[in-house]
Amino acid sequence: MNNKSREELLKIFGRLVMLAVICFLVSLAAHQAPDSSHFNQQWIDDQAQHNGWQGMLNYLLVATLLISMGLPRQLAAFLAGYAFGFLQGLLLSMLAVSFSCLLTVLLVRIFARPFARHFFAKRVSQLDAFMHEYPLKKAMVLRLLPVGNNMLTNVLAGMSSVAVLPFLLGSVIGYIPQMLVFSLMGKGVLLQSGWKIGLSFALFAFSSLLSWYLYQQYRLSKQSPPTIVSLSAGEQR
């Protein structure tokens, strides 16, 4: 076995060890956290609301983990607005979805991308071609869309060679409208405020129409292949 083969083997072994450690830590956190079906008003009332900084930390850790596992980010924003009010809820839910995005992209890039490039080279090259130019704008447009799978989009971005920082920044900007709307909706439910709930629905409809219009304009102007959009379309996340 030559030195190059030995180095490659050591890299693979190191990645497997890191993956095992991460899986162990995530399993411990998942054991303490509720599953997505129990991340609801009852859990928020018991573990987050009126518990000060500890409640905020509980929400942030659990929401980050569950969003990384496929929890709709809109639900996380709604529960944060319900628990902490509009501004704090918006901030905490934005932190959770942003941490989840960064965590997923980095983990996939470290552990899954080498295998994806080997077994799905053509698909990965298509992703690279799509995300190569203007990654910030493309990430923003993808997040603004009213449809799409947030977790799968993160996974696909990790498999591509897109620069992480522009993708993350574009995602954060694109997340804001819907996270704002659902945080406001959660606050309205807490206060039983009909006008806030109505305003939330109106803002959601407006942001959905605006994001779809922006996507259509961008797609027509750039003629970008809908690789990530088509793959990530599905249940709204």
Side-chain angles (χ1 to χ4, degrees):
M1 181 182 295
N2 57 38
N3 291 334
K4 185 176 181 180
S5 298
R6 189 178 295 109
E7 289 177 0
E8 290 295 326
L9 186 60
L10 288 175
K11 285 182 181 179
I12 294 175
F13 179 75
R15 286 185 179 133
L16 290 175
V17 171
M18 289 178 62
L19 180 60
V21 172
I22 290 172
C23 288
F24 175 73
L25 294 176
V26 170
S27 66
L28 288 179
H31 180 71
Q32 299 297 324
D35 57 43
S36 57
S37 64
H38 291 89
F39 187 61
N40 51 26
Q41 179 183 349
Q42 184 62 50
W43 187 91
I44 289 292
D45 290 339
D46 294 339
Q47 303 295 329
Q49 196 175 33
H50 308 307
N51 286 333
W53 286 104
Q54 182 63 48
M56 294 181 186
L57 184 60
N58 289 343
Y59 166 85
L60 184 59
L61 293 176
V62 170
T64 299
L65 176 63
L66 293 181
I67 293 172
S68 300
M69 299 168 63
L71 180 79
R73 55 189 171 91
Q74 294 89 344
L75 175 60
F78 177 87
L79 291 174
Y82 167 79
F84 307 110
F86 171 60
L87 291 179
Q88 283 189 344
L90 175 62
L91 176 61
L92 287 170
S93 60
M94 282 295 301
L95 286 174
V97 75
S98 301
F99 287 156
S100 172
C101 174
L102 179 61
L103 178 65
T104 303
V105 170
L106 291 179
L107 287 179
V108 169
R109 183 151 298 183
I110 293 172
F111 297 112
R113 186 175 176 227
F115 300 99
R117 294 187 71 87
H118 179 74
F119 293 103
F120 307 102
K122 182 178 180 181
R123 180 66 69 187
V124 173
S125 65
Q126 290 176 336
L127 291 172
D128 287 343
F130 177 73
M131 296 298 296
H132 178 68
E133 293 185 343
Y134 312 110
L136 188 150
K137 292 182 180 179
K138 289 179 179 177
M140 183 176 66
V141 171
L142 286 171
R143 303 306 190 178
L144 283 170
L145 287 174
V147 295
N149 188 301
N150 180 62
M151 181 186 71
L152 183 55
T153 301
N154 294 337
V155 170
L156 293 172
M159 290 185 179
S160 75
S161 59
V162 62
V164 175
L165 191 57
F167 178 80
L168 177 64
L169 182 57
S171 295
V172 170
I173 296 171
Y175 283 144
I176 291 174
Q178 287 193 31
M179 303 300 280
L180 183 152
V181 167
F182 281 87
S183 296
L184 180 61
M185 189 181 298
K187 176 68 172 180
V189 169
L190 176 63
L191 298 178
Q192 297 182 347
S193 174
W195 75 266
K196 287 186 177 180
I197 296 174
L199 177 61
S200 299
F201 279 109
L203 288 174
F204 177 70
F206 175 76
S207 65
S208 297
L209 291 173
L210 178 61
S211 62
W212 187 254
Y213 171 78
L214 290 174
Y215 169 69
Q216 292 296 333
Q217 293 297 111
Y218 187 86
R219 185 170 65 88
L220 291 174
S221 63
K222 299 294 182 182
Q223 296 181 343
S224 301
T227 307
I228 292 182
V229 177
S230 61
L231 285 174
S232 65
E235 182 184 356
Q236 184 174 328
R237 293 286 192 267

